[in-house]
Amino acid sequence: MEPSHKDAETAAAAAAVAAADPRGASSSSGVVVQVREKKGPLRAAIPYMPFPVAVICLFLNTFVPGLGTFVSAFTVLCGARTDLPDRHVCCVFWLNIAAALIQILTAIVMVGWIMSIFWGMDMVILAISQGESADGRAGLVLLLGALSSPETPSPAHKHPTRSPSGSMGFCV
């Protein structure tokens, strides 16, 4: 059987690494190209929410298992994006409702309560990752706009619109 093109590239890269390493690295040392987390449908249905909403959902999930997940399901109906872009909004909503019911029903044996806390932590992690990938200054602009003088129009006086990429913006 003849080696594929990909195997030849990998072998060439390993040979280049071995030649560049004066310690005599073995040919088994390689380079990790990409690591990607595979999410199940329930985990991928967790919406990317604004940070304060995600913290509130974490707080609710900590003290009433499933309540924060239930609240987060409604953010999907309000336009929060998820890692399931090919599914309809109603389907993602019902996946979140199902996750909330699983958390509520299994809270009796502590599994649902622990799952609920981890679910809330995932919501906060997703909100932070969304904030890092977004402009990051939108909250500060809104805050400063609210504190600005009445003569200057603030972003709060503008009309919200949706860009083609799905992110919220403002236009005059």
Side-chain angles (χ1 to χ4, degrees):
M1 187 163 96
E2 197 171 300
S4 69
H5 178 66
K6 191 179 236 183
D7 291 338
E9 285 180 0
T10 306
V17 168
D21 191 5
R23 295 173 287 161
S26 68
S27 63
S28 65
S29 66
V31 178
V32 175
V33 177
Q34 182 180 16
V35 176
R36 190 169 175 202
E37 179 185 7
K38 182 170 170 52
K39 299 176 182 176
L42 280 180
R43 170 66 176 81
I46 298 176
Y48 288 83
M49 299 176 281
F51 183 74
V53 177
V55 170
I56 289 170
C57 288
L58 170 62
F59 181 79
L60 291 173
N61 270 350
T62 302
F63 295 105
V64 182
L67 183 59
T69 307
F70 184 77
V71 169
S72 76
F74 289 95
T75 64
V76 172
L77 296 178
C78 295
R81 76 175 182 86
T82 65
D83 289 332
L84 294 172
D86 55 332
R87 298 237 181 146
H88 193 268
V89 173
C90 289
C91 178
V92 177
F93 170 77
W94 287 111
L95 281 170
N96 279 292
I97 294 295
L101 288 175
I102 290 169
Q103 292 168 7
I104 291 167
L105 295 175
T106 59
I108 299 167
V109 291
M110 298 294 288
V111 172
W113 187 49
I114 294 168
M115 177 187 174
S116 184
I117 293 171
F118 278 106
W119 219 257
M121 289 170 40
D122 281 342
M123 291 177 202
V124 172
I125 290 168
L126 289 175
I128 290 171
S129 70
Q130 176 190 17
E132 289 173 357
S133 65
D135 189 13
R137 293 175 289 170
L140 180 62
V141 169
L142 286 174
L143 176 64
L144 292 176
L147 298 175
S148 67
S149 64
E151 298 89 40
T152 4
S154 69
H157 296 106
K158 298 178 182 180
H159 304 287
T161 59
R162 236 180 230 291
S163 70
S165 66
S167 62
M168 289 298 290
F170 292 96
C171 68
V172 179

